[in-house]
Amino acid sequence: MDKLNITGGNRLQGEVIVSGAKNAALPIMCASLLTADPVRLANVPDLNDIDTLVRLLARMGVRTEREAGNALVLQADRLDSCEAPYELVKTMRASILVLGPLLARFGEARVSLPGGCAIGQRPVDQHIKGLAALGADVRVEHGFVVARAERLKGALVRTDMITVTGTENLLMAAVLAEGETVLANAAREPEVVDLANLLIAMGARIEGQGTDRIVVQGVERLHGVDYRVMPDRIEAGTFLCAVGAAGGEVVLRATAPDTMGAVLGKLRDAGVELACEGDTIRARMARRPRAVGFRTQEYPGFATDMQAQLMAMNAVAEGTSVITENIFENRFMHVQELRRLGADIEIDGHTAVVKGVPALSGATVMATDLRASASLVIAGLVAEGVTTVERIYHLDRGYEYMERKLAQLGAAIVRVPGGASA
């Protein structure tokens, strides 16, 4: 397996272009199942998760073509199968997002129960409950979600909890349902809004995206579209945390600052100087960061996907921070690895107490999930000596060419291919 070798101590300097958002691209790709027309997507990041979904859609019969400049064309005019098999679904939870569009357009779906990062329980019961409310016969059989419906019918769907993928699945199902569907307690994340905007561009009738109440008037059919995926707010936030920890002056291009309010606020509290203009964020850090506490929450609160990265910055901050993880119960697995680098962190249930230390010390660490990988890279940038991050296939699931982008900012970071010696 590939690994990263990082020699800490370099300040970051220069410009980097932020990639398209993985968490927006995946549901948007699944939405191509809702029409027989071509769907051309620009700004699709080159990631392992994207490749996995391309293979899954191709297995069903969706024609896929990559174009220059991170564009992807999908056409689901002749589907061979409405099944998403375990061998492809097991590595990526987002595969469950084919369930709603398959059922809405073809009247059937057979989707393996999903996998993904081992950060906690993420049940699909809310997806099943919502589809049943829309008139589907949904069962779990032999590890598969099996759903059937002649045509879905609009209904009031109130999920028991806020669920991003649940909202996205039900939104895609509702656009072709008969009549009006109201999604109550809907997720407000920018990626949900991006999916809704794509669907509207395809002919769907949707109101309320970005609020907790989305209203959909079903239509008979959707048409093709040429659409650009939104910027990745998590990648942008990760680079900003890297600047906050390592110091320096960096310009991020092709960002969406209006989607990053909670993260930008905490970084400013930590002492990072930020200037946002249009799609550009300028970040400058000329001091040791101040410790900042936070609680993860659904959007517009502080994103759980940024918890590990800000914790890495807090590990070398002045003072003590208290971090509470409210979304996923297993999302402190990076703490043990940060401790190997010398971080002073104590865990009590869903709360981490981080006492900032003046310096970390390089060591070999192991990535346990996608965002944990990023936190270890940030820690490696400031640790004395060499840090080796193993199992970076997690990182490759969600960050496009991360080591290349950091290297162009002056970081001493090298990818060592699997089988090679350091």
Side-chain angles (χ1 to χ4, degrees), residues 118-143:
I119 56 177
Q121 294 297 316
R122 300 193 280 187
V124 298
D125 61 319
Q126 299 303 304
H127 304 240
I128 294 172
K129 173 185 174 182
L131 292 173
L134 296 176
D137 176 18
V138 191
R139 304 175 186 180
V140 177
E141 300 175 353
H142 309 294

Side-chain angles (χ1 to χ4, degrees), residues 63-299:
R63 290 186 285 160
T64 64
E65 180 184 355
R66 292 188 180 274
E67 296 182 349
N70 277 23
L72 180 64
V73 180
L74 304 161
Q75 187 166 10
D77 54 343
R78 294 190 301 271
L79 235 61
D80 302 321
S81 168
C82 288
E83 178 174 317
Y86 174 70
E87 62 265 24
L88 289 173
V89 174
K90 67 180 179 181
T91 62
M92 187 180 66
R93 175 177 168 76
S95 304
I96 194 68
L97 288 167
V98 301
L99 179 60
L102 283 175
L103 185 60
R105 181 165 164 230
F106 299 100
E108 61 177 314
R110 190 170 187 267
V111 181
S112 174
L113 292 171
C117 285
I119 56 177
Q121 294 297 316
R122 300 193 280 187
V124 298
D125 61 319
Q126 299 303 304
H127 304 240
I128 294 172
K129 173 185 174 182
L131 292 173
L134 296 176
D137 176 18
V138 191
R139 304 175 186 180
V140 177
E141 300 175 353
H142 309 294
F144 282 81
V145 179
V146 180
R148 294 180 178 85
E150 286 190 13
R151 185 181 181 189
L152 298 174
K153 298 187 182 302
L156 170 63
V157 180
R158 180 182 296 277
T159 53
D160 298 332
M161 63 188 75
I162 297 174
T163 160
V164 174
T165 55
T167 299
E168 291 167 341
N169 232 342
L170 296 172
L171 178 59
M172 287 188 282
V175 293
L176 293 181
E178 181 181 348
E180 180 179 274
T181 297
V182 177
L183 302 181
N185 202 26
R188 300 166 60 186
E189 269 70 6
E191 294 78 12
V192 175
V193 176
D194 207 32
L195 172 63
N197 290 341
L198 164 95
L199 294 170
I200 291 169
M202 294 172 67
R205 298 171 60 194
I206 304 170
E207 295 180 347
Q209 63 271 27
T211 76
D212 62 359
R213 186 177 186 271
I214 302 175
V215 180
V216 182
Q217 305 294 337
V219 297
E220 290 291 332
R221 66 178 298 274
L222 297 181
H223 54 71
V225 71
D226 194 328
Y227 191 82
R228 184 175 181 83
V229 175
M230 67 173 285
D232 194 326
R233 62 191 174 105
I234 305 302
E235 184 193 40
T238 298
F239 278 101
L240 293 176
C241 285
V243 177
E249 192 165 356
V250 169
V251 178
L252 300 184
R253 306 283 186 191
T255 68
D258 58 334
T259 66
M260 299 174 60
V263 170
L264 297 181
K266 289 299 178 182
L267 287 166
R268 288 191 172 104
D269 292 344
V272 182
E273 300 173 32
L274 296 172
C276 302
E277 183 177 349
D279 68 353
T280 298
I281 302 175
R282 298 178 183 274
R284 182 176 180 272
M285 190 62 162
R287 50 158 293 157
R288 185 180 171 191
R290 293 186 292 266
V292 289
F294 60 92
R295 303 167 64 90
T296 63
Q297 295 175 307
E298 294 86 358
Y299 192 85

Side-chain angles (χ1 to χ4, degrees), residues 1-4 22 45-52 92 117 367 369-371 373-374 377 389-404 415-418:
M1 296 181 187
D2 290 6
K3 56 189 176 182
L4 293 178
K22 175 190 81 115
D46 184 7
L47 301 170
N48 286 352
D49 273 10
I50 299 294
D51 291 341
T52 298
M92 187 180 66
C117 285
D369 63 69
L370 171 53
R371 306 308 173 184
S373 309
V377 170
V389 183
E390 297 185 337
R391 294 177 63 177
I392 60 168
Y393 60 84
H394 288 294
L395 196 75
D396 293 337
R397 286 186 52 225
Y399 289 94
E400 185 178 44
Y401 315 134
M402 187 183 202
E403 75 279 6
R404 298 185 201 174
R415 177 181 290 255
V416 180

Side-chain angles (χ1 to χ4, degrees), residues 370-392:
L370 171 53
R371 306 308 173 184
S373 309
S375 75
L376 299 178
V377 170
I378 292 170
L381 294 174
V382 298
E384 297 174 350
V386 177
T387 297
T388 299
V389 183
E390 297 185 337
R391 294 177 63 177
I392 60 168

